[in-house]
Amino acid sequence: MAVHQKQIEEFGSNDDFWLFGYGSLIWKPPPHFDQRVPGYIEGYVRRFWQDHRGTPEAPGRVVTLIDRAHWDTLSDHHEPTERVWGAAYHIPAAKVPEVREYLDIREINGYSIQFTPFHPASDSKPIRCLVYIGLPENPQFLGPQDPNALARKILQSRGPSGENREYLFNLEEALLGLSEESGDKHISDLVARCKKLEAERKSASGSK
Ligand code: BEZ
C-alpha cells in the first residue's frame, strides 16, 4: 500500500498525528509527544534488518515491520504474532513540523511509511497511525535468517547507538511491560538464545 504524498503532507494538520513505535521508540519516545498509548496493530510481523547498531562495515540488527502478505512469501518463518504490540504517540499539531523533521517523514534510514489502524489496549476506538515499515527493496532488508546466527550477530555488534545486545534486551523488557499479552515470541526466543550463548562462552572461558 503506497502512501500518497498529499496524505502525508496533510497528516498532523488536524491535530491527528499519531506515530506507532514498535522498536526502540517504545522505551525512547519521540520528542514533544503529549500522549502515549500502549496497544497493537495487525497485518504486520516484526523482523530484524540491518541498521546502525554496529558500524558501517559491520552493521547490527534492529526490528522493522513487514506486511503479513510479504512475510507469507518468506522461507525463514519464526512464529508470527497476530498482533504487533507497541506504543502510539500523539504529537501536538504545533510540533508536527519539528517531529516530522526529526523522523524524516518520507524515509527514515530507508524505511517506508504506511497508515494503519492502531488498537489501544484500553479497548477504546482505533486510531489512524503512521507506521514505518521495511520493504524488500529497502537496502537494509536481509535474506533468510538463521536464529542462532542472528543471536550471534546481535551479541557481536555495537556502534554509535550502543550495544545491539542492549537493544534486544530492552525491547523484550519494554514489550512485556505494555500489557499482559504484549510479549513477542520471536524477540523472547532471541533473548534466550543470546543468554545461552553468553553462558556457554562464560563457561568455556572459565574452563580454560
Ligand atoms: C521504532 O519503533 O523503533 C521505529 C519506529 C519508526 C521507525 C524506525 C523505528
Side-chain angles (χ1 to χ4, degrees):
M1 185 201 351
V3 179
H4 195 278
Q5 190 60 31
K6 191 160 177 290
Q7 262 187 303
I8 300 168
E9 296 306 334
E10 286 175 359
F11 192 58
S13 51
N14 295 315
D15 210 31
D16 59 354
F17 189 108
W18 285 87
L19 169 71
F20 183 60
Y22 52 87
S24 59
L25 276 185
I26 304 176
W27 72 93
K28 258 200 258 168
H32 305 305
F33 75 96
D34 61 2
Q35 288 178 69
R36 178 185 187 271
V37 179
Y40 61 88
I41 61 171
E42 293 172 315
Y44 298 90
V45 179
R46 263 191 199 88
R47 181 181 169 91
F48 278 83
W49 75 350
Q50 211 163 268
D51 203 49
H52 54 280
R53 267 172 205 259
T55 60
E57 302 75 39
R61 300 287 180 267
V62 298
V63 287
T64 186
L65 292 182
I66 62 171
D67 265 321
R68 181 60 200 251
H70 172 200
W71 164 260
D72 287 338
T73 67
L74 301 176
S75 58
D76 57 337
H77 282 183
H78 58 74
E79 195 176 332
T81 44
E82 290 304 314
R83 296 172 170 183
V84 175
W85 280 83
Y89 294 96
H90 179 257
I91 310 296
K95 294 293 182 186
V96 166
E98 199 181 318
V99 174
R100 283 185 158 193
E101 200 172 316
Y102 169 82
L103 293 166
D104 186 355
I105 195 91
R106 273 165 220 95
E107 214 167 291
I108 175 179
N109 291 329
Y111 290 80
S112 301
I113 61 177
Q114 295 187 347
F115 293 108
T116 198
F118 168 83
H119 303 271
S122 60
D123 250 359
S124 46
K125 69 178 178 15
I127 299 166
R128 186 167 174 256
C129 227
L130 184 76
V131 56
Y132 284 81
I133 67 152
L135 299 176
E137 56 268 31
N138 291 131
Q140 297 103 309
F141 199 82
L142 300 163
Q145 294 175 358
D146 169 69
N148 268 331
L150 180 54
R152 278 195 298 275
K153 181 77 195 165
I154 288 171
L155 285 181
Q156 83 193 30
S157 300
R158 54 187 51 78
S161 314
E163 291 196 1
N164 209 166
R165 172 194 187 282
E166 188 188 40
Y167 169 90
L168 174 68
F169 284 41
N170 282 346
L171 179 56
E172 186 194 36
E173 193 182 325
L175 281 170
L176 292 172
L178 291 172
S179 106
E180 280 177 9
E181 315 152 38
S182 53
D184 180 322
K185 284 187 183 148
H186 179 45
I187 303 302
S188 294
D189 171 68
L190 281 168
V191 167
R193 285 174 199 272
C194 284
K195 286 184 175 166
K196 185 163 178 274
L197 282 166
E198 286 180 326
E200 282 166 7
R201 284 173 192 174
K202 202 170 165 202
S203 87
S205 68
S207 61
K208 271 180 199 162

